[in-house]
Every structure is written in C-alpha cells, then in structure tokens.
Amino acid sequence: MRTQSSATTASSIAVGAPRELRGLGTAQAALGVVAFSLTFPSTAWGLESFGPWSLVAVRGVLAALVAGGCLLALRVPLPARRHLAGLAVVAAGVVLGFPMLTTLALRTSTTAHAAVVVGLLPLTTAVLSALRTGTRPSRRFWLAAVAGAVAVLAFTVGQSGGAVTAADGYLFGALLVCAAGYTEGGRLARVMPGWQVIGWALVLCLPLTVPAAAVALSYEPVRLSVHGLAGLVWVAVGSTFFGLLVWYRGMAAIGIPRASQLQLAQPLLTLVWSALLLGEHFTVAAPLTALAVLVCIAVTQRA
C-alpha cells in the first residue's frame, strides 16, 4: 500500500499539482544538485586512496548495501517485470557508466575541466526526455537552456585553458549515459517512489560490482587516508544514493526538462567546492557566469 500511495502521489504532483507540491519537488531536485556538485571533488579525494576501478566498484557496493538495507527494512516488494528494462538503463547510466567514465577522466583532468560534462548535462537530458517521453517544451525554454549551457561551457572551458585532452572522450561518453539514466529514472519515478528507483538499480548491479570490487582491490594499491575514505563515503552514500533519491523525486514532481535545468548551477557549485576542498583558484568570471546561469534557470522555470 505504501508503494502504491507514493507512486500515486508522485504522479499527481507531476500533473497539475498545487504550487506547494511543485515547490517541494523543486526543492528536492535542487537538493540533489547540491549533492551532485560534491561528486567530482569527492572523487578526487577518493582517488588519493583508491585506484579508479576500485573506487567505482566499492562505491557501488556500499551504496547498494545502504539501498538494499532500506528496501529490506521496509519490506518493499520486487519491482514489476515491466520496470526492469528501465531500471537496467538507470543502472547502466548513473550507477556504472557515469561514475566509471568520470573517475577515469579525473585521473588526468581537473575538476574544472570535468565540470564541462555537467554543464552540458541539462540540455542533453532535456533532449533525451523530449525524445523518450514525447514532451514538447516551448521555444523560450530551449533558448534559455541553450544559453545556459553555452555560458557554463564557455566558463569551464575557459577555466581549463581551452585545452582538449584525452579525458574529453570519457567526459562526453559520461554525459550521454548519465542523461539516459536521468531520463529513464525520472520516468520511472512517476510510477514508483524515487528512492526505490535508485535503490533497485543499485541492487541490480551487485552481481557486477561485488566481483569487480574484489578483483580491483587485489590489483590496485590502496593507501587509506581521511580524505580518501571521506570521498568514498560521500560518492557512495551522498551522491549515488541520497542525491539520486531526492533528484528522481524532484523530476517526478516538476518534470524532467524543468528539473534538468536546475543542474545548470551544478558546475559553479562544483567550482566552489573545488576551491574550498581542493585549493583550486578561479577568476572573477565565476560570479558573472553564476548570474547568467541563474537568469537562465529562472526563464526555464517560468517557461
């Protein structure tokens, strides 16, 4: 009964819900963006202690244990067979693909350069959402979305000196798989609670992540440190589980295209965290870009 009630509530919020419920959905999506903005700095910390394959595999196992524990404690029934394909897309995109590709990129790329992929993610998600769900946002929405993406892309590329590195292939691959995972996850969150979407996606990956973690830890050196452990815990519990939980709930409430545009603020938040946590330095272009992004977000929300 709890699952059916939650799914019904999510569906009702997405379709002409009261302003208060839409506001709650926006707040949840925004909280997800804040959680995601810490992913790249936390990954950089994690790489101080773990190899890239070990970090991603152990991250997936820890997140799945948390999610699986919640599913068991609440006695949540297995997902319907018709939802398994969608959950597989979510798992491949946001549980395996995006973490692996961005972690590989961050071995040689700065967090500022990696933020390029996040700057383009809202636009890519909106495009895939339109193709997948048949939504047709207005022209003003698309103009604001493109303008915001261009502003973020120009800023992050400028911060990295405009160089094109081998890591770019990983970053653009991560962009595509993550957008697909977001789109499918937002669609599923309309028929089942958002935390169950990411929970079951994580559990589905256990047959892959457990042996991968065992093999990776046996081949890659581990040098435990406070930073390394903190980074691992955050990317596993904060970004992967909690962040996606509130993110999918928010997308189900306010729609995938509108929620995706809130993510335009994520690269700038990432740059702030990178300065505070990693000691990276940025120019005065940051507040100017932040203002431009906030204007674009405001336009997309009203469109």
Side-chain angles (χ1 to χ4, degrees):
M1 292 298 292
R2 181 184 291 119
T3 301
Q4 183 177 358
S5 175
S6 299
T8 303
T9 300
S11 179
S12 65
I13 294 175
V15 184
R19 180 174 299 178
E20 303 81 42
L21 294 180
R22 293 200 303 271
L24 176 61
T26 300
Q28 289 174 327
L31 187 58
V33 170
V34 174
F36 296 154
S37 69
L38 280 160
T39 301
F40 286 169
S42 298
T43 300
W45 271 8
L47 286 172
E48 294 180 12
S49 294
F50 301 93
W53 298 97
S54 299
L55 180 61
V56 173
V58 175
R59 161 187 181 168
V61 172
L62 291 179
L65 291 177
V66 174
C70 294
L71 292 168
L72 285 174
L74 296 175
R75 297 182 180 180
V76 177
L78 293 173
R81 181 173 296 183
R82 66 181 183 278
H83 298 322
L84 292 181
L87 289 171
V89 173
V90 174
V94 303
V95 177
L96 299 176
F98 186 79
M100 188 71 258
L101 292 169
T102 54
T103 300
L104 290 173
L106 284 171
R107 291 184 306 166
T108 57
S109 174
T110 65
T111 56
H113 192 80
V116 171
V117 70
V118 180
L120 295 177
L121 188 54
L123 182 59
T124 308
T125 303
V127 171
L128 290 183
S129 171
L131 295 175
R132 178 69 177 87
T133 65
T135 57
R136 294 294 181 268
S138 67
R139 181 178 299 179
R140 184 173 65 170
F141 176 96
W142 287 114
L143 289 175
V146 171
V150 169
V152 172
L153 180 61
F155 175 72
T156 51
V157 170
Q159 289 295 304
S160 63
V164 178
T165 68
D168 289 332
Y170 292 131
L171 294 173
F172 285 110
L175 168 69
L176 294 176
V177 297
C178 189
Y182 279 176
T183 299
E184 200 62 25
R187 187 187 66 81
L188 286 173
R190 293 188 176 186
V191 296
M192 60 192 301
W195 76 272
Q196 292 182 24
V197 174
I198 183 57
W200 286 120
L202 286 164
V203 170
L204 283 176
C205 289
L206 276 176
L208 295 175
T209 54
V210 168
V215 172
L217 288 171
S218 66
Y219 280 93
E220 293 180 334
V222 176
R223 297 174 293 274
L224 296 182
S225 66
V226 174
H227 277 182
L229 290 175
L232 171 63
V233 170
W234 180 259
V235 294
V237 181
S239 299
T240 305
F241 183 65
F242 174 76
L244 288 169
L245 184 158
V246 293
W247 175 244
Y248 284 143
R249 285 181 64 90
M251 282 200 294
I254 64 177
I256 297 173
R258 180 177 292 181
S260 69
Q261 299 316 299
L262 291 173
Q263 220 170 12
L264 285 170
Q266 184 175 326
L268 301 178
L269 288 173
T270 297
L271 295 174
V272 171
W273 295 125
S274 297
L276 294 175
L277 301 176
L278 303 176
E280 294 186 6
H281 300 283
F282 307 104
T283 68
V284 294
L288 297 178
T289 307
L291 178 60
V293 168
L294 290 175
V295 170
C296 293
I297 290 175
V299 173
T300 58
Q301 294 300 292
R302 292 182 177 276

